[in-house]
Amino acid sequence: METHLDNIKIKSLPYLRLFLIIFLLINLVGIINFPFYRETLKNDVLFFLVFLGFMGFTIGTLLIRTLKFKTPSIKGRFKPKLFRMIFIGVNLLSFLLIVMTHVMNRGILIIMGDKRYVTYAYTTLFIYCGLIITLLFVAQTLLDNKRLSKRLIFFVVLQSISVLSMGYRSPLIILVGGTLLIFIMIENDYQNKFKKVFTIRNILLFLGVLILMSSISSYRVSQKYDVRRFFRSMDFDFIDDHPYIMPIMPTLAVFRYDQDIVIKLIKKTRYKPLMGELAMSNFLTLLPGEQLGVRNIIGGIVDSRKFPDGRPWSITPTLQGALFVDGGFFGVFFGFFILAACIEYFKKIMVKRKDPFSTVLYAMFAINSLMLIHTGYFDVIFFLLIAVMVALRIVVMRIKF
Protein backbone atom coordinates (compact mmCIF):
# COMPACT_ATOMS: atom_id res chain seq x y z
CA MET A 1 0.00 0.00 0.00
CA GLU A 2 1.44 3.34 -1.04
CA THR A 3 1.03 5.38 2.12
CA HIS A 4 3.52 7.28 4.25
CA LEU A 5 3.09 5.02 7.26
CA ASP A 6 6.25 6.23 8.99
CA ASN A 7 4.48 9.52 9.69
CA ILE A 8 1.20 7.87 10.67
CA LYS A 9 0.15 6.93 14.17
CA ILE A 10 -3.08 5.11 15.00
CA LYS A 11 -4.05 6.50 18.36
CA SER A 12 -5.61 4.06 20.81
CA LEU A 13 -9.10 5.37 21.51
CA PRO A 14 -10.23 5.09 25.17
CA TYR A 15 -13.18 3.05 23.98
CA LEU A 16 -13.67 1.13 27.21
CA ARG A 17 -14.24 4.35 29.12
CA LEU A 18 -16.30 5.84 26.30
CA PHE A 19 -18.61 2.84 26.00
CA LEU A 20 -19.09 2.45 29.75
CA ILE A 21 -19.81 6.16 30.25
CA ILE A 22 -22.49 6.16 27.53
CA PHE A 23 -23.83 2.77 28.65
CA LEU A 24 -24.22 3.96 32.24
CA LEU A 25 -25.58 7.35 31.21
CA ILE A 26 -28.30 5.96 28.95
CA ASN A 27 -29.38 3.23 31.35
CA LEU A 28 -29.08 5.00 34.69
CA VAL A 29 -30.96 8.05 33.42
CA GLY A 30 -33.80 5.69 32.51
CA ILE A 31 -33.59 3.55 35.66
CA ILE A 32 -33.29 6.18 38.41
CA ASN A 33 -36.64 7.63 39.48
CA PHE A 34 -36.00 11.29 38.68
CA PRO A 35 -38.75 13.84 39.42
CA PHE A 36 -39.42 14.48 35.72
CA TYR A 37 -40.85 10.94 35.39
CA ARG A 38 -44.50 10.40 36.26
CA GLU A 39 -44.29 6.95 37.82
CA THR A 40 -41.90 5.16 40.16
CA LEU A 41 -40.08 2.18 38.65
CA LYS A 42 -39.11 -0.96 40.56
CA ASN A 43 -35.51 -0.97 39.48
CA ASP A 44 -33.50 -3.52 41.52
CA VAL A 45 -33.24 -6.08 38.72
CA LEU A 46 -32.53 -3.32 36.19
CA PHE A 47 -29.51 -2.20 38.21
CA PHE A 48 -28.31 -5.82 38.33
CA LEU A 49 -28.53 -6.21 34.54
CA VAL A 50 -26.52 -3.02 34.08
CA PHE A 51 -23.93 -4.33 36.55
CA LEU A 52 -23.64 -7.62 34.62
CA GLY A 53 -23.19 -5.75 31.34
CA PHE A 54 -20.63 -3.42 32.90
CA MET A 55 -18.58 -6.31 34.26
CA GLY A 56 -18.83 -8.40 31.09
CA PHE A 57 -17.68 -5.55 28.85
CA THR A 58 -14.84 -4.56 31.20
CA ILE A 59 -13.50 -8.11 31.61
CA GLY A 60 -13.79 -8.85 27.88
CA THR A 61 -11.81 -5.73 26.98
CA LEU A 62 -9.08 -6.22 29.57
CA LEU A 63 -8.65 -9.92 28.74
CA ILE A 64 -8.06 -9.34 25.00
CA ARG A 65 -5.89 -6.34 25.82
CA THR A 66 -3.48 -8.56 27.78
CA LEU A 67 -3.32 -11.36 25.20
CA LYS A 68 -0.97 -11.32 22.23
CA PHE A 69 -2.18 -12.23 18.74
CA LYS A 70 -0.33 -12.69 15.49
CA THR A 71 -1.88 -10.35 12.94
CA PRO A 72 -1.72 -11.52 9.30
CA SER A 73 0.14 -9.12 7.03
CA ILE A 74 -1.64 -7.14 4.35
CA LYS A 75 -1.69 -8.79 0.95
CA GLY A 76 -2.05 -6.92 -2.31
CA ARG A 77 -1.59 -3.30 -3.34
CA PHE A 78 -4.06 -0.48 -2.87
CA LYS A 79 -5.29 0.96 -6.20
CA PRO A 80 -6.26 4.61 -5.56
CA LYS A 81 -7.61 5.32 -9.06
CA LEU A 82 -9.88 2.28 -8.99
CA PHE A 83 -11.06 3.13 -5.49
CA ARG A 84 -11.81 6.72 -6.50
CA MET A 85 -13.93 5.47 -9.41
CA ILE A 86 -15.88 3.18 -7.07
CA PHE A 87 -16.28 6.05 -4.58
CA ILE A 88 -17.71 8.38 -7.23
CA GLY A 89 -19.91 5.73 -8.85
CA VAL A 90 -21.51 4.32 -5.70
CA ASN A 91 -22.13 7.72 -4.09
CA LEU A 92 -23.52 9.17 -7.30
CA LEU A 93 -25.94 6.24 -7.57
CA SER A 94 -26.81 6.63 -3.90
CA PHE A 95 -27.67 10.33 -4.35
CA LEU A 96 -29.74 9.55 -7.45
CA LEU A 97 -31.72 6.88 -5.60
CA ILE A 98 -32.41 9.29 -2.73
CA VAL A 99 -33.66 11.94 -5.18
CA MET A 100 -35.79 9.36 -7.02
CA THR A 101 -37.30 8.21 -3.71
CA HIS A 102 -38.31 11.77 -2.85
CA VAL A 103 -39.70 12.34 -6.35
CA MET A 104 -41.75 9.12 -6.30
CA ASN A 105 -43.19 10.08 -2.91
CA ARG A 106 -43.77 13.67 -4.08
CA GLY A 107 -41.95 15.21 -1.17
CA ILE A 108 -39.04 14.96 1.23
CA LEU A 109 -39.61 11.88 3.36
CA ILE A 110 -38.59 13.32 6.71
CA ILE A 111 -41.45 15.84 6.56
CA MET A 112 -44.08 13.49 5.12
CA GLY A 113 -45.22 11.58 8.21
CA ASP A 114 -45.93 7.92 7.46
CA LYS A 115 -44.51 8.21 3.94
CA ARG A 116 -40.99 8.38 5.36
CA TYR A 117 -41.17 4.56 5.50
CA VAL A 118 -41.94 4.24 1.77
CA THR A 119 -38.61 3.23 0.31
CA TYR A 120 -36.93 0.23 -1.29
CA ALA A 121 -34.40 -2.21 0.10
CA TYR A 122 -31.88 -1.57 -2.68
CA THR A 123 -32.03 2.17 -1.98
CA THR A 124 -31.23 1.58 1.68
CA LEU A 125 -28.41 -0.81 0.76
CA PHE A 126 -26.79 1.68 -1.63
CA ILE A 127 -27.12 4.47 0.94
CA TYR A 128 -25.24 2.37 3.48
CA CYS A 129 -22.67 1.30 0.88
CA GLY A 130 -22.10 4.97 0.07
CA LEU A 131 -21.47 5.69 3.74
CA ILE A 132 -18.95 2.86 4.04
CA ILE A 133 -17.05 3.96 0.94
CA THR A 134 -16.98 7.55 2.19
CA LEU A 135 -15.51 6.38 5.50
CA LEU A 136 -12.91 4.37 3.58
CA PHE A 137 -12.08 7.45 1.51
CA VAL A 138 -11.65 9.56 4.66
CA ALA A 139 -9.42 6.90 6.23
CA GLN A 140 -7.28 6.54 3.12
CA THR A 141 -6.86 10.31 2.85
CA LEU A 142 -5.53 10.51 6.40
CA LEU A 143 -3.34 7.42 5.99
CA ASP A 144 -1.85 9.03 2.87
CA ASN A 145 -0.65 11.78 5.25
CA LYS A 146 -3.01 14.37 3.81
CA ARG A 147 -5.31 16.83 5.50
CA LEU A 148 -9.08 16.58 5.15
CA SER A 149 -9.86 19.14 2.48
CA LYS A 150 -12.79 21.56 2.67
CA ARG A 151 -14.21 19.85 -0.39
CA LEU A 152 -14.23 16.45 1.35
CA ILE A 153 -15.74 17.92 4.51
CA PHE A 154 -18.44 19.60 2.42
CA PHE A 155 -19.18 16.29 0.73
CA VAL A 156 -19.60 14.54 4.11
CA VAL A 157 -21.97 17.33 5.22
CA LEU A 158 -23.94 17.06 1.97
CA GLN A 159 -24.15 13.29 2.31
CA SER A 160 -25.31 13.68 5.92
CA ILE A 161 -28.10 16.03 4.87
CA SER A 162 -29.21 13.69 2.09
CA VAL A 163 -29.30 10.74 4.50
CA LEU A 164 -31.19 12.80 7.07
CA SER A 165 -33.75 13.73 4.42
CA MET A 166 -34.78 10.06 4.31
CA GLY A 167 -35.88 10.32 7.96
CA TYR A 168 -33.51 7.71 9.42
CA ARG A 169 -30.98 8.50 12.13
CA SER A 170 -28.80 5.36 12.15
CA PRO A 171 -27.01 6.05 8.82
CA LEU A 172 -26.43 9.63 9.93
CA ILE A 173 -24.86 8.47 13.20
CA ILE A 174 -22.65 5.99 11.33
CA LEU A 175 -21.45 8.60 8.82
CA VAL A 176 -20.85 11.50 11.20
CA GLY A 177 -19.68 9.37 14.13
CA GLY A 178 -17.47 7.20 11.93
CA THR A 179 -15.87 10.21 10.24
CA LEU A 180 -15.11 11.86 13.58
CA LEU A 181 -13.80 8.60 15.04
CA ILE A 182 -11.47 7.95 12.10
CA PHE A 183 -10.28 11.57 12.12
CA ILE A 184 -9.48 11.38 15.85
CA MET A 185 -7.72 8.00 15.68
CA ILE A 186 -5.41 8.63 12.72
CA GLU A 187 -2.65 11.10 13.54
CA ASN A 188 -0.62 12.35 10.59
CA ASP A 189 1.20 15.62 9.99
CA TYR A 190 -1.98 17.72 9.82
CA GLN A 191 -4.91 18.92 11.97
CA ASN A 192 -3.78 17.05 15.11
CA LYS A 193 -4.82 19.87 17.44
CA PHE A 194 -8.45 18.93 16.76
CA LYS A 195 -8.00 15.28 17.72
CA LYS A 196 -8.31 15.25 21.50
CA VAL A 197 -11.35 13.23 22.55
CA PHE A 198 -12.34 14.47 25.99
CA THR A 199 -12.39 18.23 25.51
CA ILE A 200 -15.03 20.82 26.32
CA ARG A 201 -15.58 21.34 22.59
CA ASN A 202 -16.22 17.65 21.92
CA ILE A 203 -18.47 17.30 24.96
CA LEU A 204 -20.54 20.25 23.75
CA LEU A 205 -20.60 18.70 20.28
CA PHE A 206 -21.87 15.43 21.75
CA LEU A 207 -24.60 17.26 23.66
CA GLY A 208 -25.50 19.15 20.50
CA VAL A 209 -25.85 15.91 18.54
CA LEU A 210 -27.96 14.47 21.38
CA ILE A 211 -30.28 17.49 21.27
CA LEU A 212 -30.45 17.24 17.46
CA MET A 213 -31.41 13.56 17.58
CA SER A 214 -33.94 14.33 20.30
CA SER A 215 -35.40 17.19 18.27
CA ILE A 216 -35.73 14.95 15.21
CA SER A 217 -37.58 12.41 17.35
CA SER A 218 -39.88 15.08 18.78
CA TYR A 219 -40.57 16.51 15.32
CA ARG A 220 -41.44 13.11 13.86
CA VAL A 221 -43.79 12.38 16.77
CA SER A 222 -45.45 15.80 16.51
CA GLN A 223 -46.43 15.05 12.91
CA LYS A 224 -48.92 12.40 14.05
CA TYR A 225 -49.48 12.68 17.81
CA ASP A 226 -49.88 15.13 20.62
CA VAL A 227 -46.40 15.21 22.18
CA ARG A 228 -47.71 15.37 25.75
CA ARG A 229 -49.92 12.32 25.24
CA PHE A 230 -47.27 10.39 23.34
CA PHE A 231 -44.55 10.81 26.00
CA ARG A 232 -46.78 9.56 28.80
CA SER A 233 -43.90 8.66 31.11
CA MET A 234 -42.92 12.32 31.51
CA ASP A 235 -44.27 14.69 34.18
CA PHE A 236 -45.03 17.76 32.08
CA ASP A 237 -46.03 19.83 35.10
CA PHE A 238 -42.46 19.41 36.38
CA ILE A 239 -41.01 20.06 32.91
CA ASP A 240 -43.10 23.25 32.57
CA ASP A 241 -41.51 24.46 35.80
CA HIS A 242 -38.06 23.47 34.49
CA PRO A 243 -38.17 24.36 30.75
CA TYR A 244 -34.44 23.61 30.25
CA ILE A 245 -35.43 19.92 30.22
CA MET A 246 -37.74 20.32 27.19
CA PRO A 247 -35.04 20.12 24.44
CA ILE A 248 -33.98 16.64 25.61
CA MET A 249 -37.39 15.51 26.86
CA PRO A 250 -37.98 13.01 23.99
CA THR A 251 -34.58 11.41 24.68
CA LEU A 252 -35.33 11.09 28.40
CA ALA A 253 -38.69 9.54 27.54
CA VAL A 254 -37.00 7.00 25.28
CA PHE A 255 -34.51 6.06 28.01
CA ARG A 256 -37.36 5.53 30.47
CA TYR A 257 -39.42 3.56 27.95
CA ASP A 258 -36.42 1.29 27.30
CA GLN A 259 -36.38 0.28 30.96
CA ASP A 260 -40.14 -0.30 30.98
CA ILE A 261 -39.64 -2.71 28.08
CA VAL A 262 -36.79 -4.51 29.89
CA ILE A 263 -39.02 -5.05 32.93
CA LYS A 264 -41.73 -6.54 30.72
CA LEU A 265 -39.19 -8.80 29.01
CA ILE A 266 -37.91 -10.04 32.37
CA LYS A 267 -41.43 -10.89 33.52
CA LYS A 268 -42.26 -12.68 30.25
CA THR A 269 -39.04 -14.66 29.69
CA ARG A 270 -37.31 -15.06 33.06
CA TYR A 271 -37.85 -18.83 33.20
CA LYS A 272 -37.98 -19.56 29.46
CA PRO A 273 -35.07 -17.92 27.56
CA LEU A 274 -35.06 -18.30 23.79
CA MET A 275 -31.53 -19.78 23.82
CA GLY A 276 -30.19 -17.69 20.94
CA GLU A 277 -33.28 -17.75 18.70
CA LEU A 278 -33.66 -13.98 19.00
CA ALA A 279 -30.07 -13.39 17.85
CA MET A 280 -30.65 -15.55 14.77
CA SER A 281 -33.96 -13.98 13.79
CA ASN A 282 -32.47 -11.04 11.87
CA PHE A 283 -30.50 -13.46 9.67
CA LEU A 284 -33.67 -15.47 9.00
CA THR A 285 -35.28 -12.38 7.47
CA LEU A 286 -33.03 -12.99 4.44
CA LEU A 287 -34.85 -16.26 3.74
CA PRO A 288 -37.89 -16.47 1.47
CA GLY A 289 -41.26 -15.84 3.05
CA GLU A 290 -42.26 -13.55 5.87
CA GLN A 291 -39.87 -13.66 8.83
CA LEU A 292 -39.98 -11.52 11.96
CA GLY A 293 -36.89 -9.53 12.93
CA VAL A 294 -35.59 -9.03 16.46
CA ARG A 295 -37.60 -5.92 17.25
CA ASN A 296 -40.84 -7.39 15.92
CA ILE A 297 -40.32 -10.48 18.08
CA ILE A 298 -39.71 -8.20 21.08
CA GLY A 299 -42.93 -6.39 20.20
CA GLY A 300 -44.77 -9.71 20.25
CA ILE A 301 -43.31 -10.67 23.62
CA VAL A 302 -44.41 -7.42 25.29
CA ASP A 303 -47.82 -7.48 23.53
CA SER A 304 -47.29 -4.25 21.61
CA ARG A 305 -49.60 -2.91 18.94
CA LYS A 306 -49.81 -4.74 15.63
CA PHE A 307 -49.57 -3.61 12.04
CA PRO A 308 -52.63 -4.14 9.82
CA ASP A 309 -51.03 -7.34 8.48
CA GLY A 310 -50.76 -8.76 12.02
CA ARG A 311 -47.05 -8.23 12.55
CA PRO A 312 -46.12 -6.96 16.03
CA TRP A 313 -44.88 -3.39 16.34
CA SER A 314 -41.10 -2.92 16.23
CA ILE A 315 -39.74 -2.35 19.76
CA THR A 316 -36.11 -1.66 20.76
CA PRO A 317 -35.17 -3.85 23.75
CA THR A 318 -31.74 -2.41 24.81
CA LEU A 319 -28.73 -4.69 24.56
CA GLN A 320 -29.13 -6.19 28.03
CA GLY A 321 -32.84 -6.73 27.34
CA ALA A 322 -32.18 -8.66 24.13
CA LEU A 323 -29.43 -10.72 25.74
CA PHE A 324 -31.66 -11.53 28.73
CA VAL A 325 -34.38 -12.81 26.40
CA ASP A 326 -31.86 -15.11 24.73
CA GLY A 327 -29.88 -16.33 27.73
CA GLY A 328 -31.02 -14.89 31.04
CA PHE A 329 -28.54 -13.31 33.43
CA PHE A 330 -25.63 -15.36 32.08
CA GLY A 331 -26.53 -14.29 28.55
CA VAL A 332 -26.22 -10.63 29.53
CA PHE A 333 -22.73 -11.07 30.98
CA PHE A 334 -21.50 -13.33 28.16
CA GLY A 335 -22.95 -11.12 25.40
CA PHE A 336 -21.23 -7.99 26.68
CA PHE A 337 -18.03 -10.00 27.14
CA ILE A 338 -18.04 -11.22 23.51
CA LEU A 339 -18.86 -7.76 22.15
CA ALA A 340 -15.98 -6.18 24.07
CA ALA A 341 -13.57 -8.93 23.04
CA CYS A 342 -14.40 -8.45 19.35
CA ILE A 343 -13.99 -4.67 19.51
CA GLU A 344 -10.65 -4.91 21.30
CA TYR A 345 -9.41 -7.53 18.83
CA PHE A 346 -10.36 -5.37 15.83
CA LYS A 347 -8.57 -2.45 17.46
CA LYS A 348 -5.37 -4.50 17.65
CA ILE A 349 -5.67 -5.37 13.96
CA MET A 350 -6.26 -1.71 13.05
CA VAL A 351 -3.25 -0.44 15.02
CA LYS A 352 -1.01 -3.14 13.52
CA ARG A 353 -2.06 -2.91 9.88
CA LYS A 354 -2.71 0.83 9.41
CA ASP A 355 -4.94 0.27 6.39
CA PRO A 356 -8.32 1.89 5.61
CA PHE A 357 -10.30 -1.35 5.68
CA SER A 358 -9.19 -2.36 9.18
CA THR A 359 -9.75 1.21 10.36
CA VAL A 360 -13.29 1.41 9.00
CA LEU A 361 -14.08 -2.10 10.27
CA TYR A 362 -13.13 -1.00 13.79
CA ALA A 363 -15.04 2.29 13.42
CA MET A 364 -18.12 0.40 12.23
CA PHE A 365 -18.04 -1.95 15.21
CA ALA A 366 -17.33 0.89 17.63
CA ILE A 367 -20.14 3.17 16.41
CA ASN A 368 -22.72 0.42 15.97
CA SER A 369 -21.91 -1.07 19.38
CA LEU A 370 -22.77 2.26 20.98
CA MET A 371 -26.09 2.17 19.13
CA LEU A 372 -26.73 -1.36 20.45
CA ILE A 373 -27.00 0.06 23.96
CA HIS A 374 -30.44 1.30 22.90
CA THR A 375 -31.43 -0.86 19.92
CA GLY A 376 -30.36 -4.37 21.02
CA TYR A 377 -28.73 -6.60 18.39
CA PHE A 378 -26.94 -5.70 15.17
CA ASP A 379 -29.27 -5.33 12.21
CA VAL A 380 -28.71 -7.73 9.35
CA ILE A 381 -27.60 -4.85 7.12
CA PHE A 382 -24.58 -4.41 9.39
CA PHE A 383 -23.34 -7.87 8.46
CA LEU A 384 -24.17 -7.27 4.80
CA LEU A 385 -21.98 -4.16 4.91
CA ILE A 386 -19.14 -6.16 6.41
CA ALA A 387 -19.50 -8.56 3.47
CA VAL A 388 -19.52 -5.62 1.05
CA MET A 389 -16.36 -4.25 2.66
CA VAL A 390 -14.63 -7.63 2.35
CA ALA A 391 -15.59 -7.85 -1.32
CA LEU A 392 -14.46 -4.27 -1.91
CA ARG A 393 -11.12 -5.02 -0.25
CA ILE A 394 -10.60 -7.99 -2.57
CA VAL A 395 -11.37 -5.85 -5.63
CA VAL A 396 -9.24 -2.87 -4.59
CA MET A 397 -6.31 -4.79 -3.08
CA ARG A 398 -6.03 -8.24 -4.65
CA ILE A 399 -7.48 -8.33 -8.17
CA LYS A 400 -5.09 -7.21 -10.90
CA PHE A 401 -6.38 -4.93 -13.63
Side-chain angles (χ1 to χ4, degrees), residues 15-16 36 68 137 142 144 163 176 224 323 335 374 388 396:
Y15 189 77
L16 175 61
F36 43 74
K68 294 184 179 180
F137 192 88
L142 294 170
D144 275 337
V163 167
V176 176
K224 289 190 62 179
L323 290 168
H374 165 63
V388 168
V396 174

Side-chain angles (χ1 to χ4, degrees), residues 48-49 52-53 56 270 273 275 320 322-338 377:
F48 184 60
L49 290 182
L52 288 175
R270 187 162 194 166
M275 306 304 292
Q320 66 267 30
L323 290 168
F324 184 88
V325 170
D326 259 339
F329 292 114
F330 174 77
V332 174
F333 176 86
F334 187 70
F336 275 87
F337 176 89
I338 293 297
Y377 287 144

Side-chain angles (χ1 to χ4, degrees), residues 117-371:
Y117 295 110
V118 180
T119 184
Y120 298 100
Y122 60 81
T123 300
T124 302
L125 181 60
F126 269 98
I127 289 173
Y128 274 98
C129 287
L131 304 185
I132 294 300
I133 292 176
T134 297
L135 293 180
L136 287 168
F137 192 88
V138 170
Q140 183 58 33
T141 300
L142 294 170
L143 289 169
D144 275 337
N145 203 13
K146 298 177 182 177
R147 67 173 69 245
L148 294 185
S149 65
K150 293 181 180 179
R151 184 169 58 180
L152 179 55
I153 294 173
F154 174 77
F155 176 82
V156 173
V157 172
L158 179 63
Q159 192 172 24
S160 301
I161 294 173
S162 68
V163 167
L164 182 60
S165 73
M166 297 290 288
Y168 299 112
R169 290 169 291 177
S170 294
L172 178 65
I173 295 172
I174 292 172
L175 176 60
V176 176
T179 300
L180 290 174
L181 191 62
I182 292 168
F183 175 74
I184 289 170
M185 290 188 303
I186 302 176
E187 288 190 349
N188 55 19
D189 291 338
Y190 305 100
Q191 301 168 317
N192 290 325
K193 65 180 180 178
F194 301 109
K195 298 184 179 183
K196 294 182 179 179
V197 179
F198 294 109
T199 63
I200 297 297
R201 181 186 63 248
N202 290 342
I203 292 172
L204 292 176
L205 179 63
F206 172 77
L207 292 176
V209 171
L210 184 66
I211 292 174
L212 174 62
M213 297 296 105
S214 183
S215 300
I216 294 171
S217 173
S218 182
Y219 174 76
R220 288 169 62 174
V221 170
S222 67
Q223 289 183 285
K224 289 190 62 179
Y225 307 100
D226 175 56
V227 172
R228 288 177 175 260
R229 293 182 60 189
F230 186 84
F231 297 113
R232 293 187 296 270
S233 62
M234 306 303 295
D235 186 342
F236 281 94
D237 291 334
F238 182 88
I239 294 174
D240 288 339
D241 293 335
H242 303 79
Y244 56 85
I245 298 176
M246 183 58 72
I248 59 171
M249 180 272 300
T251 300
L252 297 174
V254 169
F255 293 168
R256 188 65 161 187
Y257 182 72
D258 283 347
Q259 304 306 322
D260 287 330
I261 293 299
V262 174
I263 286 180
K264 291 179 181 178
L265 292 174
I266 292 171
K267 290 179 179 178
K268 295 279 188 177
T269 64
R270 187 162 194 166
Y271 301 107
K272 46 181 178 180
L274 299 186
M275 306 304 292
E277 290 182 16
L278 187 66
M280 292 299 300
S281 60
N282 275 341
F283 295 100
L284 297 179
T285 59
L286 297 174
L287 300 177
E290 185 175 343
Q291 312 287 343
L292 294 180
V294 168
R295 295 168 200 167
N296 298 110
I297 294 175
I298 293 295
I301 293 174
V302 301
D303 299 321
S304 70
R305 293 180 296 169
K306 295 187 183 332
F307 289 102
D309 61 2
R311 288 182 299 116
W313 202 261
S314 177
I315 301 292
T316 52
T318 74
L319 182 54
Q320 66 267 30
L323 290 168
F324 184 88
V325 170
D326 259 339
F329 292 114
F330 174 77
V332 174
F333 176 86
F334 187 70
F336 275 87
F337 176 89
I338 293 297
L339 178 64
C342 289
I343 293 172
E344 190 67 19
Y345 176 69
F346 290 134
K347 185 180 79 173
K348 285 193 171 188
I349 293 178
M350 173 189 68
V351 173
K352 179 70 174 179
R353 286 185 170 179
K354 294 183 181 180
D355 76 296
F357 295 97
S358 300
T359 304
V360 173
L361 177 64
Y362 173 77
M364 279 281 293
F365 264 92
I367 295 296
N368 280 273
S369 294
L370 292 177
M371 294 166 61

